């Protein structure tokens, strides 16, 4: 069962239909039919075969949104090659871990971005691949695969500081796409405005896959830009928009007449990847005339729970389990709690990843009797609506991007003069949360210089908003840092 068979109803069945338009940062637009995408992916598959890439090999990409990612994804799906997306905001330290762990044949990137890869990383220029494709055979070859064959390894920040690669199978992606198309009533008549990065499952597994499965039309842009968004909405008139809460916060800054104009063309706005504050949902309904549909997912499980398409989309909740997905809420002893009582969410279904790449140790703790431990804490109301209340870990989500404090703390502790550090998430109106670092160091350590150093080594969203000098970190008798006892920021100023 190759995912590619699921996409055939569009790639083959709707070959002559317009499929994709891509607008680059300069505003130039290119158009593709489904037939074009079918041909291009066959040609790229031929190029990859010539370069010795086979089923089961890993191939990474480190690219800003562009059609080449679609070509690459489809070519790899057809060949059974395992794709490893790398966040384009990651820097050498973060990429080194992924490249070392997944051991891809190469990283597909641009000549400019290649300078950010760790020394010695094998990389292929996306422009060269595209040029080679033009003269390659367009003959279709689809490798026959089992549903549990890996299609992608997607790295997700791990509690240990180093991220882990969730192995997502052809079956996982297929189940997710089928569930969403059914639940959100997506058809070939839809027009999807794709602003989410394609290196995360929100943009890839939800966005790209519902487009390819339903055969609707997609407008892809390099990234969400607040200033350009009104123009995209008015010129493209999408019916479908998927975003993270930060994007909705940014859209609320538009003047009311622009907001109601945007609302007029759209059928469905979906939010996920981070909590959507109820006031944002209320303000959006007032300004755009739409009740945003909030859903809940994870890299490891794809989508789990969604508010209903028909019926009440209840603010502050994520709704009901999606078709084929089961959810339990359990206490510390893994016993089911009663409705109305908080507990950890466990998930089971064809959407849940096979495990972590080369990490049998973490698999043992991630699954309990076949149920995946999400680490998210929530409660189910008597009428079934699930509300997420927090997380068991220290995960910070900023603009929909995940940050594990431990990774930043380890980097800070490596810097000269820093004895130790603790990173916490503080509330931010636009991004949900932002990291703030508390560092134990003498007055001779220049905190501005420290910030500049961190900026060169971590993705920009992980760079602490502020560095606060403290004499000591508050700890429990067992030595665990008590983050809640750290002086509040920004009210507190260093002595
Ligand atoms: C931000 N930047 C990007 C980028 N997003 N660069 C390339 N691609 C992107 N998608 C860069 C900017 O160029 C800038 O760089 C810096 O980051 C800050 O950008 P900003 O626009 O000022 O930030 P902000 O207004 O906060 O908006 C950021 C955002 C972004 C909301 C557009 O955070 C975003 O795209 N978030 C989506 C995250 C996502 O897809 N998560 C899904 C995870 S899957 P510089 O150099 O100028 O600093 C998951 C499962 C699930 O969680 O349930 O979905
Ligand atoms: P990631 O590892 O990037 O896939 O992030 C997954 C995490 O994002 C989940 O474990 C949740 O903590 C969080 N998340 C996703 N959707 C929502 C949502 N609608 N509300 C609150 N948190 C969410």
């Amino acid at each position: 069962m190759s995912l590619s068979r699921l996409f055939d109803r569009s790639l083959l069945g709707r070959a002559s239909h317009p499929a994709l338009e891509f607008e680059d940062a300069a505003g130039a637009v290119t158009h593709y039919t489904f037939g074009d995408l079918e041909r291009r992916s066959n040609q790229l598959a031929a190029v990859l075969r010539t370069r010795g890439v086979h089923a089961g090999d890993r191939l990474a990409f480190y690219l800003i949104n562009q059609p080449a990612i679609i070509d690459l994804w489809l070519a790899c799906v057809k060949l059974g090659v395992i794709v490893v997306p790398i966040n384009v905001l990651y820097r050498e330290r973060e990429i080194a871990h992924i490249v070392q762990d997944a051991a891809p044949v190469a990283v597909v990137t641009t000549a400019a971005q290649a300078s950010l890869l760790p020394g010695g990383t094998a990389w292929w220029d996306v422009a060269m691949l595209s040029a080679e494709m033009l003269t390659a055979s367009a003959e279709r070859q689809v490798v026959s695969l089992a549903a549990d064959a890996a299609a992608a390894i997607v790295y997700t920040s791990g509690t240990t500081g180093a991220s882990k690669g969730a192995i997502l199978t052809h079956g996982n992606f297929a189940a997710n796409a089928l569930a969403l198309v059914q639940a959100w009533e997506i058809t070939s008549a839809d027009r999807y405005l794709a602003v989410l990065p394609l290196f995360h499952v929100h943009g890839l597994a939800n966005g790209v896959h519902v487009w390819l499965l339903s055969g609707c039309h997609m407008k892809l842009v390099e990234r969400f830009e607040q200033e350009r968004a009104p123009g995209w909405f008015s010129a493209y008139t999408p019916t479908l928009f998927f975003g993270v809460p930060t994007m909705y916060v940014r859209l609320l800054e538009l003047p009311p007449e622009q907001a109601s104009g945007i609302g007029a063309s759209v059928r469905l706005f979906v939010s996920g990847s981070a909590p959507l504050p109820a006031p944002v949902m209320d303000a959006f309904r007032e300004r755009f005339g739409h009740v945003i549909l909030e859903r809940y997912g994870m890299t490891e499980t794809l989508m789990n729970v969604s508010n209903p398409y028909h019926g009440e989309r209840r603010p502050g909740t994520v709704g009901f389990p999606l078709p084929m997905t089961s959810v339990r809420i359990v206490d510390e002893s893994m016993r089911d709690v009663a409705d109305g009582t908080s507990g950890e969410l466990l998930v089971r279904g064809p959407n849940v990843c096979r495990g972590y790449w080369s990490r049998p140790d973490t698999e043992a703790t991630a699954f309990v009797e076949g149920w995946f431990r999400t680490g998210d804490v929530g409660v189910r109301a008597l009428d079934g609506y699930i509300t997420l209340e927090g997380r068991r870990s220290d995960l910070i989500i900023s603009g929909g991007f995940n940050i594990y404090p431990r990774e930043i703390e380890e980097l800070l502790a490596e810097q000269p003069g820093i004895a130790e550090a603790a990173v916490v998430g503080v509330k931010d109106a636009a991004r949900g949360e932002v990291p703030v670092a508390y560092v134990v160091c003498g007055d001779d350590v220049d905190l501005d210089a420290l910030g500049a150093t961190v900026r060169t080594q971590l993705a920009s969203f992980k760079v602490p908003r502020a560095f606060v000098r403290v004499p000591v970190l508050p700890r429990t008798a067992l030595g665990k840092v008590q983050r809640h006892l750290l002086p509040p920021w920004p009210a507190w100023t260093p002595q």
Side-chain angles (χ1 to χ4, degrees):
M1 186 258 129
S2 165
L3 245 187
S4 136
R5 297 293 178 211
L6 208 61
F7 302 151
D8 281 354
R9 54 161 87 187
S10 302
L11 295 180
L12 302 180
R14 294 175 60 76
S16 61
H17 289 256
L20 169 68
E21 71 176 61
F22 170 68
E23 184 173 328
D24 69 15
V29 179
T30 29
H31 296 267
Y32 305 82
T33 62
F34 283 110
D36 292 335
L37 299 176
E38 161 68 7
R39 188 191 69 254
R40 289 170 63 91
S41 55
N42 290 340
Q43 289 179 304
L44 182 56
V47 171
L48 296 180
R49 276 198 308 271
T50 312
R51 291 189 176 218
V53 188
H54 303 291
D57 286 344
R58 276 82 57 214
L59 189 61
F61 72 82
Y62 179 52
L63 292 166
I64 197 156
N65 284 359
Q66 54 192 281
I69 300 179
I70 309 286
D71 296 333
L72 191 70
W73 179 251
L74 289 174
C76 289
V77 159
K78 287 177 178 178
L79 290 178
V81 171
I82 306 168
V83 177
V84 183
I86 301 178
N87 186 325
V88 80
L89 295 170
Y90 280 3
R91 294 296 171 253
E92 184 174 338
R93 183 183 172 96
E94 295 146 312
I95 302 168
H97 168 73
I98 296 176
V99 168
Q100 192 249 328
D101 195 67
V105 176
V107 179
V108 177
T109 188
T110 61
Q113 289 270 126
S115 64
L116 298 167
L117 297 175
T121 306
W123 66 277
W124 291 345
D125 187 345
V126 67
M128 262 158 76
L129 287 179
S130 298
E132 278 176 46
M133 261 168 66
L134 298 177
T135 52
S137 160
E139 193 190 333
R140 158 179 265 250
Q141 284 192 32
V142 176
V143 170
S144 145
L145 296 163
D148 67 353
I153 303 173
V154 185
Y155 280 79
T156 173
S157 317
T159 39
T160 51
S163 57
K164 296 170 291 189
I167 306 169
L168 290 161
T169 66
H170 285 249
N172 294 150
F173 284 119
N176 187 66
L178 286 162
L180 298 189
V181 164
Q182 189 274 340
W184 300 341
E185 301 195 356
I186 295 164
T187 72
S188 59
D190 274 310
R191 294 168 66 74
Y192 166 57
L193 176 58
V195 299
L196 287 158
L198 301 185
F199 48 75
H200 272 317
V201 301
H202 195 168
L204 180 67
N206 292 15
V208 168
H209 288 181
V210 301
W211 158 59
L212 289 172
L213 176 59
S214 68
C216 71
H217 192 270
M218 176 166 89
K219 179 185 178 81
L220 179 69
V221 296
E222 289 189 358
R223 56 172 301 242
F224 179 80
E225 285 174 78
Q226 190 175 3
E227 304 73 35
R228 298 179 69 194
W232 298 330
F233 276 103
S234 60
Y236 182 61
T237 57
T239 60
L240 208 53
F241 182 83
F242 298 166
V244 295
T246 303
M247 294 173 183
Y248 290 105
V249 172
R250 302 263 182 245
L251 288 175
L252 279 175
E253 287 167 25
L254 294 176
E257 59 288 357
Q258 231 169 16
S260 58
I262 288 173
S265 82
V266 178
R267 175 177 73 80
L268 178 64
F269 287 96
V270 179
S271 176
S273 309
L276 179 70
V280 173
M281 195 168 162
D282 291 343
F284 201 86
R285 178 171 43 203
E286 212 170 279
R287 301 282 284 279
F288 289 76
H290 279 266
V291 182
I292 300 170
L293 186 154
E294 185 171 8
R295 59 51 176 187
Y296 156 62
M298 282 185 89
T299 300
E300 290 96 328
T301 63
L302 304 177
M303 299 306 109
N304 296 319
V305 179
S306 170
N307 266 283
Y309 181 69
H310 297 287
E312 185 192 4
R313 298 177 194 166
R314 191 175 295 173
T317 79
V318 286
F320 310 104
L322 281 159
M324 302 180 282
T325 302
S326 308
V327 175
R328 285 171 61 199
I329 304 185
V330 298
D331 64 16
E332 299 272 322
S333 326
M334 298 295 135
R335 277 191 305 257
D336 292 83
V337 297
D339 287 346
T341 307
S342 300
E344 182 182 353
L345 271 74
L346 306 185
V347 175
R348 186 172 189 155
N351 52 315
V352 178
C353 75
R354 209 172 77 181
Y356 294 108
W357 186 254
S358 65
R359 291 281 196 290
D361 51 326
T362 50
E363 268 170 44
T365 49
F367 291 88
V368 185
E369 291 167 6
W371 292 79
F372 180 78
R373 296 189 65 172
T374 64
D376 289 309
V377 175
V379 61
R380 184 170 17 221
L382 288 177
D383 60 3
Y385 280 83
I386 294 173
T387 300
L388 296 179
E389 298 179 311
R391 293 179 286 269
R392 288 180 64 248
S393 69
D394 299 321
L395 174 69
I396 300 168
I397 305 183
S398 189
F401 287 123
N402 282 7
I403 304 169
Y404 267 98
R406 175 87 179 264
E407 185 187 9
I408 308 171
E409 290 162 1
E410 282 173 5
L411 173 63
L412 289 172
E414 287 168 22
Q415 307 309 311
I418 309 282
E420 53 180 351
V423 172
V424 298
V426 299
K427 282 203 183 318
D428 180 83
R431 295 187 173 92
E433 292 176 289
V434 289
V436 166
Y438 292 81
V439 284
V440 178
C441 62
D443 290 342
D444 54 325
V445 173
D446 178 346
L447 296 183
D448 291 336
L450 180 65
T453 305
V454 171
R455 184 166 283 279
T456 60
Q457 302 205 37
L458 293 177
S460 53
F461 59 88
K462 295 183 192 169
V463 178
R465 171 73 60 88
F467 292 86
V468 181
R469 206 188 307 269
V470 288
V472 68
L473 296 179
R475 291 186 182 273
T476 62
L478 293 175
K480 189 174 163 17
V481 175
Q482 294 170 295
R483 291 165 199 277
H484 62 287
L485 293 185
L486 284 161
W489 182 89
W492 188 85
T493 43
Q495 302 305 305

